[in-house]
Amino acid sequence: TPGDSDYEYNNNVVGTPSGKMNNDVIEVTYYYVLKSASYTVKYINVENNTEISGAKSGTAKCKTELRASDYVIPRITSGGILYEYINATPDKITVRSTGSNEIKLYYKPVKGKVIVHHYISGSTTQIANDEVKEGSVGSGYRTGWTVLGDKDYVHDRQTGAAANGTITEVTQEVIYYYKLGTGNYQVNYIDIESKKKIAEPEVKTGVTSKTEIEADKGTHFRERIASD
């Protein structure tokens, strides 16, 4: 048996392997061939060390050199997530009859982002800070209206990318617009001495928030009032 375990006897012998010794030189030759051994190439998510695609396996003659670069898939989509190749460990192996004969190709998820803007309607004036949502390409995202400190503004409309969707390699922008709401006001006419009403109140509805109303000016102001 040879010392190199990668070889095996192929049942081929030349000469007489057994017999009586004599004064002549007796030569016996045994022939060996390289064994075949299995190998495996695995595709691994570097973030959690789990397989993202089915391993490739096969057999090759011992002492065959296998290079990781021959098995690289630049990008792999698995479970709806897009991955891209980073590196391999090792970058090559020599097939042996013993050992794992394994190559691991490492991948990382491709990242994308969604920027959420909150603007005053009709402008790009921010009413709240932008939000940036980052994640793996192929994963989902969700956005929504923000809670404003200024309660005079109400929801207007949403434009740009879908409010809820899937992250892509291309940066997506979701825009929420806010507008001033409306309110009501009432003008009362009071006798300063008796504190009694001297005319019917005037009520104005649907007034845009933040509209300035001056009590002693405008269409509701009456310098004199005749009262029964």
Side-chain angles (χ1 to χ4, degrees):
T1 301
D4 190 336
S5 61
D6 287 339
Y7 286 90
E8 62 183 356
Y9 177 52
N10 76 338
N11 296 317
N12 186 11
V13 60
V14 175
T16 303
S18 60
K20 292 182 178 181
M21 297 291 296
N22 55 39
N23 291 331
D24 296 327
V25 174
I26 299 174
E27 184 174 334
V28 179
T29 304
Y30 292 89
Y31 289 92
Y32 294 77
V33 295
L34 285 167
K35 296 177 181 177
S36 291
S38 61
Y39 66 88
T40 304
V41 179
K42 293 182 178 180
Y43 299 85
I44 306 295
N45 178 356
V46 71
E47 292 188 349
N48 56 21
N49 208 38
T50 58
E51 289 192 54
I52 59 174
S53 182
K56 291 184 178 180
S57 59
T59 58
K61 290 292 186 181
C62 291
K63 302 191 184 301
T64 299
E65 183 177 89
L66 301 179
R67 294 182 176 274
S69 58
D70 292 334
Y71 298 91
V72 170
I73 302 172
R75 289 189 164 194
I76 295 174
T77 299
S78 177
I81 304 299
L82 179 63
Y83 297 86
E84 62 183 359
Y85 173 71
I86 306 174
N87 55 33
T89 303
D91 59 357
K92 63 182 178 180
I93 61 171
T94 300
V95 178
R96 303 299 304 271
S97 63
T98 58
S100 64
N101 292 325
E102 183 176 271
I103 294 174
K104 290 184 178 180
L105 302 177
Y106 288 96
Y107 290 74
K108 66 178 181 181
V110 178
K111 301 295 185 179
K113 64 182 177 181
V114 177
I115 302 174
V116 184
H117 302 290
H118 300 279
Y119 291 151
I120 293 175
S121 285
S123 73
T124 55
T125 301
Q126 285 187 327
I127 195 169
N129 291 332
D130 288 346
E131 304 169 58
V132 179
K133 299 179 179 291
E134 295 184 311
S136 300
V137 170
S139 63
Y141 71 84
R142 299 183 66 82
T143 69
W145 299 95
T146 193
V147 177
L148 299 175
D150 189 336
K151 302 304 180 183
D152 286 330
Y153 284 90
V154 296
H155 303 165
D156 186 6
R157 68 189 193 281
Q158 182 266 313
T159 64
N164 305 313
T166 302
I167 292 176
T168 65
E169 286 187 80
V170 177
T171 298
Q172 300 176 84
E173 293 183 88
V174 180
I175 305 172
Y176 288 92
Y177 287 103
Y178 302 77
K179 65 181 180 180
L180 285 168
T182 58
N184 309 324
Y185 72 88
Q186 179 173 307
V187 179
N188 297 309
Y189 302 95
I190 306 296
D191 182 335
I192 195 171
E193 293 181 355
S194 66
K195 310 301 181 185
K196 293 182 179 180
K197 178 178 67 174
I198 59 175
E200 288 301 317
E202 295 188 38
V203 178
K204 183 67 174 179
T205 62
V207 180
T208 301
S209 297
K210 298 189 185 297
T211 299
E212 187 176 87
I213 307 297
E214 295 186 68
D216 59 351
K217 295 180 181 179
T219 57
H220 299 284
F221 174 64
R222 302 184 193 180
E223 188 172 354
R224 292 186 176 185
I225 296 175
S227 176
D228 295 335

